Amino acid sequence: MNDGPSNISGLQKEWSLLVHSFLDQDIPDRKLVEKLNSQDLTLEQVNTLRKDLSQRRQGLNQKIETIKLEIERLSEIIESLSLVGSSIEETQTEIEALHQQGEKLSIEILSIDHKINKIHDLTDRLMKIPVFFEHTES
């Protein structure tokens, strides 16, 4: 099989594209990402990047939970205001703003999940390459 080196080249290009997509985002450990390139990528660096992304996702999930709780609280206020015949417009506006914040956070979480999945996929493929060469050299 002669596709071994081209397979490595393809993976290097994918890593390079992945790293550049991270550079376009606001990553907490930007210095780590800037050090990464397709030639000197270590498993430890990949794991650190994956961990940073997972922590970022966890923080965003916590923000979404806080927004959810605030929406629930405001919904109860709307119920109370409705019972006494008071205006609920201001509270509804607050709820709508919270919904928009939640949607933005959800989109950001999806982006992070996509990157984490891409890292998992590329890591799995890189781990298989040495096995490929062991079998072709025999």
Side-chain angles (χ1 to χ4, degrees):
M1 296 188 129
N2 201 9
D3 64 1
S6 65
N7 192 16
I8 291 174
S9 175
L11 285 173
Q12 287 176 334
K13 288 178 185 176
E14 285 188 57
W15 273 116
S16 181
L17 289 172
L18 180 65
V19 169
H20 288 293
S21 75
F22 287 138
L23 291 175
D24 292 339
Q25 300 289 320
D26 184 25
I27 301 281
D29 195 353
R30 182 172 288 279
K31 289 178 185 173
L32 171 66
V33 176
E34 289 172 351
K35 285 193 276 184
L36 298 178
N37 68 47
S38 58
Q39 279 69 41
D40 62 3
L41 192 65
T42 67
L43 192 56
E44 182 180 327
Q45 290 171 320
V46 172
N47 287 334
T48 301
L49 182 57
R50 182 177 23 221
K51 182 179 177 185
D52 289 345
L53 287 169
S54 294
Q55 288 174 344
R56 186 171 176 200
R57 179 179 56 192
Q58 182 179 14
L60 293 172
N61 283 329
Q62 289 173 344
K63 287 180 182 179
I64 285 179
E65 188 61 30
T66 301
I67 288 172
K68 179 184 169 195
L69 293 173
E70 182 65 11
I71 288 173
E72 289 173 4
R73 186 187 72 79
L74 290 172
S75 295
E76 290 173 5
I77 290 173
I78 285 178
E79 286 181 34
S80 298
L81 290 173
S82 295
L83 290 174
V84 296
S86 296
S87 174
I88 59 172
E89 286 181 33
E90 185 178 318
T91 308
Q92 285 178 325
T93 303
E94 287 180 55
I95 288 175
E96 181 59 33
L98 289 170
H99 276 292
Q100 290 175 358
Q101 283 180 324
E103 287 176 6
K104 287 179 184 177
L105 291 174
S106 294
I107 290 169
E108 196 171 339
I109 288 171
L110 288 174
S111 174
I112 289 172
D113 283 341
H114 175 74
K115 290 175 183 176
I116 290 171
N117 289 336
K118 186 75 171 174
I119 288 173
H120 283 294
D121 179 51
L122 292 173
T123 302
D124 289 344
R125 289 170 55 193
L126 275 177
M127 298 298 257
K128 291 177 184 177
I129 287 178
V131 173
F132 170 76
F133 283 117
E134 288 174 10
H135 291 295
T136 58
E137 291 175 359
S138 302

